[in-house]
């Protein structure tokens, strides 16, 4: 009888000890939690809402194009297709563009010149950071040192030189142009750049940004390279 009680008591102690060990381990190694503050979460939420809004805008544009094709007769279909092709060429950056925008000059810092610091080219990381800063605005058109920057463009380091589209970016000073959909958008870009912390990043590399005031007519040349078609094939007439 005593042996039975002893074994039961031992079993109970083992269960209690096992449960205590599990609880202690869970308290010592809690599950990973989101430790971001409320502002970081709000910023991520704002970014997702902006992305969602852009997708809805693109869907509306495509729906509008479909309705346009459905409402046209055979004679006007060719004209609508031509307009669509011109719009796509513009979005791809092939054509020359003129519109409201700003001109930015990248110059060596005055202190660097005064102290005789060697002037070096802008780094690919800094130039990429600058482009990413502006990508928060929709519909902008870029030109960097006379080189059209599009979705097909790349900023790389080739043999120690910063390149855009495989072409070397000049050692400062050089200019960058930005065209916005409207003059009001250009003013927003201007105000953002004037107050942006990107100036500190340039200054650390002994460079300064001179942001010109918005202008009504800024010209940007089209992408000089020919776009290659790898997947689409033109059908013979009548098919």
């Amino acid at each position: 009888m005593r042996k039975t009680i002893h074994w039961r008591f031992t079993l109970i102690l083992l269960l209690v000890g096992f449960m205590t060990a599990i609880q202690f381990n869970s308290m010592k190694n809690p599950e990973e939690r989101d430790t971001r503050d409320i502002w970081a979460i709000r910023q991520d939420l704002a970014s997702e809402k902006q992305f969602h809004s852009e997708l809805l805008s693109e869907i509306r544009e495509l729906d509008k194009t479909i309705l346009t094709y459905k409402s046209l007769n055979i004679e006007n279909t060719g004209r609508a297709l031509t307009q669509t092709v011109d719009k796509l060429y513009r979005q791809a950056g092939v054509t020359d563009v003129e519109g409201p925008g700003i001109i930015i000059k990248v110059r060596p810092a005055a202190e660097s010149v005064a102290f005789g610091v060697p002037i070096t080219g802008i780094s690919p990381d800094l130039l990429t950071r600058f482009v990413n800063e502006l990508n928060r605005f929709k519909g902008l058109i870029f030109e960097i040192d006379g080189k059209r920057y599009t979705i097909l463009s790349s900023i790389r380091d080739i043999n120690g030189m910063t390149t855009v589209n495989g072409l070397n970016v000049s050692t400062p000073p050089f200019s960058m142009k930005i065209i916005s959909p409207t003059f009001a958008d250009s003013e927003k870009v201007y105000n953002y750049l004037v107050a942006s912390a990107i100036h500190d990043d340039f200054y650390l590399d002994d460079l300064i940004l001179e942001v010109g005031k918005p202008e009504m007519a800024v010209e940007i040349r089209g992408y000089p390279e020919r776009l290659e078609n790898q997947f689409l094939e033109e059908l013979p007439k009548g098919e």
Side-chain angles (χ1 to χ4, degrees), residues 32-44:
E32 185 177 355
R33 299 176 59 185
D34 192 345
T35 57
R36 295 177 297 172
D37 58 19
I38 185 64
W39 291 108
I41 296 176
R42 287 170 62 92
Q43 185 176 3
D44 290 344

Side-chain angles (χ1 to χ4, degrees), residues 153-179:
S153 299
S154 60
I155 300 175
R156 297 175 180 171
D157 184 315
I158 300 179
N159 296 327
M161 294 291 297
T162 299
T163 63
V164 175
N165 301 330
L167 301 175
N168 293 343
V169 176
S170 302
T171 302
F174 65 86
S175 299
M176 297 185 290
K177 297 180 181 179
I178 303 171
I179 291 181

Side-chain angles (χ1 to χ4, degrees), residues 52-208:
H52 182 257
S53 176
E54 292 176 358
L55 288 179
L56 291 179
S57 299
E58 292 179 4
I59 291 174
R60 283 195 292 267
E61 287 293 330
L62 293 175
D63 289 339
K64 188 185 300 183
T65 302
I66 294 174
L67 290 176
T68 301
Y69 287 150
K70 288 183 179 180
S71 62
L72 293 176
N73 53 33
I74 298 177
E75 296 178 357
N76 295 329
T77 302
R79 185 188 309 167
L81 289 173
T82 301
Q83 294 175 354
T84 302
V85 171
D86 293 339
K87 181 179 178 181
L88 292 175
Y89 271 122
R90 178 183 173 90
Q91 291 177 350
V94 177
T95 58
D96 296 343
V97 180
E98 180 178 346
I102 59 177
I103 298 176
I104 302 171
K105 295 182 179 179
V106 181
R107 299 182 182 277
E111 294 84 353
S112 302
V113 176
F115 286 103
V117 177
I119 301 175
T120 59
I122 187 173
S123 67
D125 293 338
L126 181 57
L127 190 56
T128 301
R129 197 178 310 139
F130 175 78
V131 173
N132 290 337
E133 281 285 315
L134 291 175
N135 278 337
R136 65 182 66 223
F137 296 94
K138 187 178 180 182
L140 299 185
I141 301 174
F142 300 93
E143 182 183 273
I144 302 173
D145 189 30
K147 303 161 185 61
R148 182 70 176 269
Y149 184 87
T150 68
I151 57 175
L152 302 176
S153 299
S154 60
I155 300 175
R156 297 175 180 171
D157 184 315
I158 300 179
N159 296 327
M161 294 291 297
T162 299
T163 63
V164 175
N165 301 330
L167 301 175
N168 293 343
V169 176
S170 302
T171 302
F174 65 86
S175 299
M176 297 185 290
K177 297 180 181 179
I178 303 171
I179 291 181
S180 305
T182 64
F183 187 78
D185 292 328
S186 295
E187 291 180 328
K188 292 179 181 179
V189 175
Y190 170 79
N191 293 330
Y192 174 80
L193 286 177
V194 168
S196 174
I198 194 68
H199 290 271
D200 297 333
D201 297 329
F202 274 79
Y203 191 74
L204 290 175
D205 283 3
D206 300 319
L207 300 173
I208 58 174

